[in-house]
Amino acid sequence: AKDGFLREKINVDNEKLQDAINFDISEPLNQWNKTSSTSLDASKNCMGVVQVRVLAAQRLMCPIGSTVQPVTSLMPWKGKVRGECTTAFGHEEKGVCVKWDTSSEISCCSMVHAGRDTLVVPTIKLELIFKPLPLLEFSMCSLQLSCYPLMKQQGNWKKQWCKAELSDQLLERESGEHESPFILVEAAFFPATNEISEDNNNSEKQPSQASNLTKSSTVISSHVLKTNNKLHLFKLQSMWRPAQCSICKRSLVGWKKAFRCETCEIDCCKDCRVQIDFQIPCGSDLARRVVENSIQNKLTLSNILTTIAPVDKKYEKQIIHSVQKGDTIMAKSSLSTGKGSEDTMKRKELNKFIGQFRIKIDQACIFESFLPIETNPADIFDTSNQNSLKKGDYYLRVTCIDTSETNRTITVPSSGKSKFSSHEMVFNVSHYGAEYRMEVFDAYNNKPVGTALLTAQALLQLQRDRLIEKFGLFSFLPSIGNKIEPYPATLKVELRAGIKHGFESTYSLPTKTSKSTKVNITPGSISGWVILEASFQQDFGNLYGQNAIECPSKPPSKLDLELFQLHISRIFSLVRSIREAFTLYYWLISWDNPTVSIFSLVIFVWSCLRFNLEYIACLPIILLVSVMLLSAAERKKGRLKQHFIQQQKESCIKEILENSVDRSNFRPVGGIEVKVERGRNLRSQELGISGSVGCHVFWHPLRYIENEEDKKNFISQDKLLESRQDMGETNFVFDADPEWNKLTASSELRRMQRLSPNLETLLLERIRGSKNNKADPENSKSILFPFLQPVCRKENFKKKANFGVEPWKSIQGAIVVQVRFSDVLNKLPGFKDTLGEVVIPLSKVMTNNQISGW
């Protein structure tokens, strides 16, 4: 009876659904991207809204009566939109089918594409979820549709049956061949501008013609993203107070679960990021109301105290009336005195600044592997190999170091060469030494990937150089220069890792290790580059007007050893340049090159006769002027900074070469393999009973030296002979005739193995004479201990000529195998835990190459 009732219900549902949607598919199936043969205009890949509506699906791999839900996302943007759940029904020819109610506006999901001209065309990813239980879901099938045809014909709806692919999770559970499901999709792209393409000569229909959507299609298509809508600037945060998503009302309490907008402070989950810019625009009245009504604003201390101890309404009205009365008296007094004028206050506030710093971020590039600190930045700007870029979600933040004023771009997803094309950021400049830090952040962990620094003084100097090139020296005249607008300078600046603060303390000292890549990051290494447009617009009214103000000076900086070292290096570089100039002058008058000296003498005599004999020092003055002109030309071409960096590199390389050791003085390394196999008659000396027996192996360098003076002489020649070094120990076996199957390396030996991991393999190849002798530290019956070849130093041993290595046979000390006994009695006072020692001289081992036996 139950089966008959279900069949009757299914037949009734089939009749209703077949009237609404036609499940017949015409062959052959049209391709979604059939218009991809023509190129897409870059201007059409703009900011807008992608609206997707899932109408129906057939040939699904789920039981009849189960719950099916569509999940839509827009790649590469993060987030996804979950649609309405519906119930699957049976069809005589099409198998298990589903159909969604299209009469409501909820059935259409709207996703924001914050695109730029050079970004890739987004892709719609549609996935059907099968829910056997409310908290349990499985992916049945999915399909990906390019937004290319939607952007080609903006504002037009495209409706089509599309073939989906079965999910891997379903194919693992169900064996055999299965028919591919089909999904009826309707989508459109509405740009942020009100201008919609008038090219309607297409085969696709408007939503009112494509399906029976009646009024809902008109309502949805009118909801276009406005051009003046700001996009949310989300930052990943941890929430430890009650919070919920503004869209789906999901709880956001936990470690790094919430995304909070830095502009309007609205909260959002990771799935709703793709639609919140359309549903609740940033800075709108709706966003302000959502923040005011959020749980966090309601659970404030004042609200809790008001709930616990309510305030009398009459008393509250008296307080408000007294405050308003006091404000009225203050306003009257300010009007009477004239000191409270808003214009005057604003003027005083603006007089504190000397101009405005304007910056626009174009794009940034992040490398997969960082380049060394000494790399020339000009050599990396032409890097266009996409394989060497590190893809991720990045945003760029600009911060004024003095005032902590900050602004940032939107997050660009899944890109190693992020195209920001940000709006113009404006910062008020208080003095010419203002510094600005530009940091590229990884949005996944909110950690900086690379940092660049820029000062207002350097930007102003660059603008002046460009004005001189175009208008000449007349651009410095106030009557002309003040009327010339500063040209935005397009800069390509390298990004460096490990920048701690600003120019005062540029790099952090310790080498950092990246947790994600497990790679050491050297401070100052180049991680990428950024292209930007910057300009510094001075307020000439404050600086050169009738009521001119005094230009504020840069705040005094704190004493920093890193900054002190940087200044010392720059002073040494300047002294080095002056010394080179004097060396050149001495070479001119030294007659090392007679031709040059005669030419300089002729210039000197002519100058003295032409001008006056008292100008006897005209030649060095001419040389000094020539050097100054040459330096000016170098600075104009931007080579002065590179010259300083090159000098620093050369001095560092020279210092390394001076402190390096000649390769001929390196001590060769050898190794001794030790293996302890078994023992006999190992019993306690007091009672002669058996116990747990093990061996401890170590190297005793001064074993055969008894005189203290001789010991001091040997230690002075080689510090390695000062103390014994543990090699390893065997496992303990409870037997009088033990057989040891494991020899564990000591902590000293393990540290040496970590310092030189390949040394053990190379030494074993030489000792055993075969390859593939990599030792297993866990189950090894032998250990390999490295030795340095003995050295000999005489009285004047500091000189390299009297330093040398001795033959291996002259090595001192012995290998000691100490047999230890462990039972209950030897833990008491008066009982020893050492049965005896086996002492093997190292010189004997070196002479015979091998010693084995009892």
Side-chain angles (χ1 to χ4, degrees):
K2 185 176 180 181
D3 293 341
F5 173 74
L6 289 175
R7 291 194 194 96
E8 183 179 356
K9 184 179 180 182
I10 290 171
N11 292 333
V12 173
D13 292 340
N14 288 344
E15 293 177 358
K16 294 181 180 179
L17 291 169
Q18 287 178 2
D19 294 339
I21 293 179
N22 185 13
F23 284 89
D24 295 334
I25 301 176
S26 59
E27 297 291 342
L29 188 65
N30 295 329
Q31 296 295 326
W32 179 270
N33 301 330
K34 63 181 180 179
T35 59
S36 60
S37 58
T38 58
S39 61
L40 178 66
D41 188 5
S43 61
K44 292 191 175 183
N45 187 8
C46 57
M47 185 174 68
V49 180
V50 177
Q51 295 185 351
V52 181
R53 187 192 300 272
V54 185
L55 303 178
Q58 57 177 290
R59 301 177 186 177
L60 300 179
M61 296 289 294
C62 64
I64 298 176
S66 58
T67 302
V68 180
Q69 183 183 25
V71 179
T72 312
S73 58
L74 187 66
M75 299 187 298
W77 305 104
K78 304 299 181 182
K80 54 187 176 181
V81 182
R82 292 180 175 268
E84 276 187 300
C85 296
T86 187
T87 304
F89 61 90
H91 195 279
E92 295 179 358
E93 299 179 357
K94 307 301 180 181
V96 181
C97 302
V98 291
K99 181 258 181 184
W100 281 270
D101 184 15
T102 58
S103 60
S104 63
E105 190 174 347
I106 306 176
S107 61
C108 181
C109 63
S110 302
M111 299 171 289
V112 175
H113 168 57
R116 296 295 183 267
D117 296 342
T118 58
L119 274 179
V120 295
V121 177
T123 302
I124 301 171
K125 183 179 180 181
L126 180 61
E127 189 175 9
L128 293 185
I129 302 297
F130 159 56
K131 290 187 174 183
L133 294 174
L135 298 179
L136 186 64
E137 60 182 27
F138 299 97
S139 175
M140 286 191 298
C141 58
S142 63
L143 61 89
Q144 294 185 5
L145 304 174
S146 175
C147 291
Y148 181 91
L150 305 181
M151 291 182 173
K152 189 76 175 176
Q153 300 168 351
Q154 298 177 357
N156 295 332
W157 288 81
K158 183 178 178 64
K159 175 185 175 184
Q160 186 175 318
W161 282 99
C162 301
K163 185 177 180 181
E165 296 181 358
L166 295 174
S167 63
D168 298 335
Q169 185 180 6
L170 188 61
L171 292 176
E172 292 177 358
R173 295 174 54 196
E174 303 288 342
S175 59
E177 296 183 358
H178 305 283
E179 293 184 358
S180 298
F182 288 86
I183 304 175
L184 182 59
V185 183
E186 189 177 28
F189 175 74
F190 296 94
T193 59
N194 294 326
E195 298 177 2
I196 300 178
S197 176
E198 298 178 359
D199 184 14
N200 294 330
N201 298 326
N202 59 324
S203 59
E204 309 300 337
K205 300 179 180 179
Q206 299 294 330
S208 58
Q209 301 174 357
S211 57
N212 293 327
L213 304 180
T214 62
K215 299 180 181 179
S216 62
S217 297
T218 308
V219 174
I220 294 170
S221 62
S222 63
H223 289 180
V224 180
L225 191 68
K226 305 298 182 182
T227 54
N228 56 355
N229 283 2
K230 295 181 180 180
L231 298 178
H232 290 282
L233 303 178
F234 285 114
K235 182 179 179 181
L236 185 62
Q237 285 190 348
S238 301
M239 293 291 185
W240 305 116
R241 291 192 300 170
Q244 63 181 8
C245 178
S246 303
I247 300 295
C248 63
K249 308 303 178 183
R250 184 187 302 175
S251 177
L252 300 177
V253 180
W255 173 257
K256 291 187 177 181
K257 281 191 173 182
F259 288 86
R260 172 165 289 183
C261 179
E262 298 183 13
T263 305
C264 62
E265 297 185 353
I266 198 170
D267 296 330
C268 175
C269 66
K270 63 178 182 179
D271 291 342
C272 297
R273 286 179 291 170
V274 74
Q275 59 174 332
I276 191 171
D277 289 309
F278 177 75
Q279 302 289 346
I280 309 176
C282 182
S284 61
D285 295 337
L286 178 59
R288 188 177 65 256
R289 290 196 300 268
V290 170
V291 174
E292 291 175 356
N293 298 327
S294 62
I295 299 178
Q296 288 192 343
N297 286 336
K298 290 181 179 179
L299 292 178
T300 57
L301 183 60
S302 60
N303 291 340
I304 295 174
L305 293 177
T306 305
T307 305
I308 297 174
V311 181
D312 189 9
K313 292 184 178 180
K314 293 182 178 179
Y315 179 69
E316 188 176 1
K317 288 181 179 179
Q318 291 178 1
I319 294 176
I320 295 173
H321 180 70
S322 62
V323 171
Q324 291 177 352
K325 187 176 181 181
D327 293 342
T328 306
I329 295 172
M330 289 292 294
K332 289 180 179 179
S333 62
S334 63
L335 287 173
S336 60
T337 57
K339 297 180 181 179
S341 176
E342 293 184 0
D343 296 337
T344 306
M345 296 296 292
K346 288 182 179 180
R347 184 61 184 173
K348 289 183 178 180
E349 188 70 24
L350 291 175
N351 284 343
K352 297 179 181 179
F353 305 109
I354 61 173
Q356 288 184 337
F357 173 74
R358 300 174 180 270
I359 184 172
K360 289 180 65 176
I361 309 298
D362 185 17
Q363 67 177 17
C365 178
I366 305 299
F367 298 149
E368 181 70 30
S369 57
F370 293 175
L371 302 178
I373 185 174
E374 64 272 8
T375 306
N376 187 5
D379 298 337
I380 66 170
F381 290 151
D382 296 332
T383 304
S384 58
N385 187 8
Q386 296 292 337
N387 297 328
S388 62
L389 303 182
K390 183 179 180 181
K391 291 187 177 181
D393 302 345
Y394 301 109
Y395 66 89
L396 191 142
R397 181 182 299 278
V398 183
T399 306
C400 181
I401 297 176
D402 298 331
T403 62
S404 300
E405 185 182 0
T406 182
N407 205 338
R408 54 161 285 191
T409 65
I410 63 171
T411 302
V412 178
S414 305
S415 176
K417 202 170 184 180
S418 305
K419 180 72 173 178
F420 295 108
S421 298
S422 68
H423 61 280
E424 189 177 46
M425 306 177 189
V426 181
F427 297 89
N428 292 322
V429 182
S430 57
H431 54 85
Y432 286 105
E435 300 177 2
Y436 297 89
R437 185 172 63 244
M438 295 163 287
E439 296 175 289
V440 177
F441 281 84
D442 188 353
Y444 180 75
N445 52 18
N446 284 328
K447 291 185 178 180
V449 181
T451 308
L453 299 173
L454 188 63
T455 62
Q457 185 177 5
L459 184 59
L460 182 61
Q461 186 64 51
L462 181 61
Q463 290 179 174
R464 286 176 176 175
D465 292 343
R466 295 192 175 185
L467 288 176
I468 292 173
E469 291 180 0
K470 189 168 185 179
F471 298 99
L473 296 176
F474 296 101
S475 58
F476 284 105
L477 297 176
S479 59
I480 299 177
N482 297 355
K483 298 179 181 179
I484 301 175
E485 292 292 334
Y487 290 92
T490 302
L491 305 177
K492 208 168 188 180
V493 189
E494 73 274 10
L495 296 171
R496 295 186 179 271
I499 294 183
K500 185 167 62 174
H501 188 63
F503 283 101
E504 296 181 357
S505 181
T506 307
Y507 303 125
S508 56
L509 292 178
T511 300
K512 299 181 179 179
T513 303
S514 176
K515 296 182 180 180
S516 59
T517 59
K518 306 294 183 182
V519 178
N520 292 334
I521 300 176
T522 305
S525 56
I526 298 178
S527 59
W529 47 261
V530 59
I531 300 178
L532 54 96
E533 289 186 3
S535 64
F536 179 29
Q537 187 174 3
Q538 301 180 83
D539 190 351
F540 294 104
N542 288 341
L543 296 174
Y544 308 108
Q546 295 180 354
N547 299 324
I549 63 171
E550 183 180 359
C551 182
S553 59
K554 183 179 179 180
S557 58
K558 298 179 181 179
L559 180 62
D560 196 344
L561 291 179
E562 299 176 30
L563 178 63
F564 188 66
Q565 293 176 359
L566 181 62
H567 288 330
I568 289 177
S569 63
R570 289 176 177 174
I571 291 173
F572 277 126
S573 175
L574 183 61
V575 171
R576 193 182 302 112
S577 300
I578 296 174
R579 188 184 303 162
E580 292 176 356
F582 277 106
T583 304
L584 178 61
Y585 174 69
Y586 179 76
W587 177 73
L588 288 175
I589 64 175
S590 63
W591 295 93
D592 290 339
N593 191 337
T595 305
V596 177
S597 298
I598 290 173
F599 180 72
S600 62
L601 179 61
V602 170
I603 294 177
F604 172 71
V605 173
W606 176 82
S607 302
C608 292
L609 296 177
R610 176 66 179 82
F611 300 102
N612 201 331
L613 288 177
E614 62 180 288
Y615 296 101
I616 194 73
C618 61
L619 186 61
I621 292 175
I622 292 175
L623 181 62
L624 180 61
V625 172
S626 303
V627 171
M628 292 175 64
L629 293 175
L630 181 62
S631 300
E634 292 289 325
R635 189 193 62 77
K636 186 176 181 181
K637 295 180 180 179
R639 298 176 184 174
L640 199 61
K641 179 181 176 182
Q642 298 300 327
H643 179 66
F644 172 72
I645 296 175
Q646 187 66 26
Q647 284 185 347
Q648 292 295 106
K649 287 170 56 178
E650 292 176 357
S651 61
C652 291
I653 294 173
K654 184 179 179 181
E655 184 179 356
I656 292 173
L657 292 177
E658 290 177 355
N659 297 331
S660 62
V661 183
D662 190 4
R663 292 185 62 89
S664 60
N665 291 333
F666 287 169
R667 297 174 64 178
V669 182
I672 293 183
E673 186 180 11
V674 181
K675 185 178 182 182
V676 184
E677 295 183 349
R678 53 187 180 272
R680 289 183 184 176
N681 301 326
L682 301 180
R683 295 182 175 89
S684 64
Q685 297 178 358
E686 292 82 2
L687 301 177
I689 61 175
S690 301
S692 297
V693 184
C695 295
H696 180 67
V697 185
F698 59 90
W699 171 42
H700 202 306
L702 306 176
R703 183 73 178 189
Y704 298 107
I705 302 176
E706 298 180 356
N707 192 357
E708 293 296 332
E709 293 184 0
D710 295 339
K711 288 183 179 180
K712 290 181 180 179
N713 292 333
F714 276 105
I715 293 173
S716 63
Q717 292 181 4
D718 192 354
K719 289 293 183 181
L720 294 177
L721 306 178
E722 188 173 3
S723 61
R724 76 176 195 179
Q725 298 184 16
D726 294 335
M727 300 173 65
E729 59 183 2
T730 64
N731 56 327
F732 279 80
V733 179
F734 190 85
D735 195 350
D737 300 330
E739 291 187 2
W740 295 287
N741 55 7
K742 187 177 181 181
L743 186 59
T744 306
S746 63
S747 59
E748 296 180 13
L749 181 56
R750 289 197 296 269
R751 282 196 295 268
M752 287 190 286
Q753 290 173 352
R754 285 194 292 267
L755 289 174
S756 54
N758 298 326
L759 180 61
E760 185 176 3
T761 305
L762 296 175
L763 291 177
L764 284 175
E765 290 180 5
R766 291 195 174 189
I767 294 173
R768 299 177 183 176
S770 61
K771 297 183 178 181
N772 300 326
N773 288 320
K774 190 174 182 180
D776 186 4
E778 300 294 335
N779 301 313
S780 178
K781 296 182 179 180
S782 64
I783 57 175
L784 180 68
F785 194 84
F787 286 90
L788 292 177
Q789 191 168 347
V791 295
C792 178
R793 296 179 179 177
K794 297 181 181 180
E795 293 181 359
N796 52 351
F797 63 93
K798 291 185 179 180
K799 296 183 179 180
K800 294 183 179 180
N802 295 325
F803 173 85
V805 293
E806 292 291 313
W808 281 104
K809 297 179 181 180
S810 63
I811 192 169
Q812 298 294 327
I815 301 295
V816 181
V817 182
Q818 193 178 71
V819 183
R820 294 182 176 180
F821 185 84
S822 177
D823 63 354
V824 179
L825 296 177
N826 66 357
K827 297 181 180 179
L828 300 175
F831 292 89
K832 297 181 179 180
D833 62 344
T834 303
L835 295 182
E837 295 177 344
V838 178
V839 183
I840 305 172
L842 269 178
S843 58
K844 188 176 180 180
V845 179
M846 299 300 176
T847 304
N848 300 331
N849 292 330
Q850 183 178 1
I851 293 179
S852 61
W854 291 93

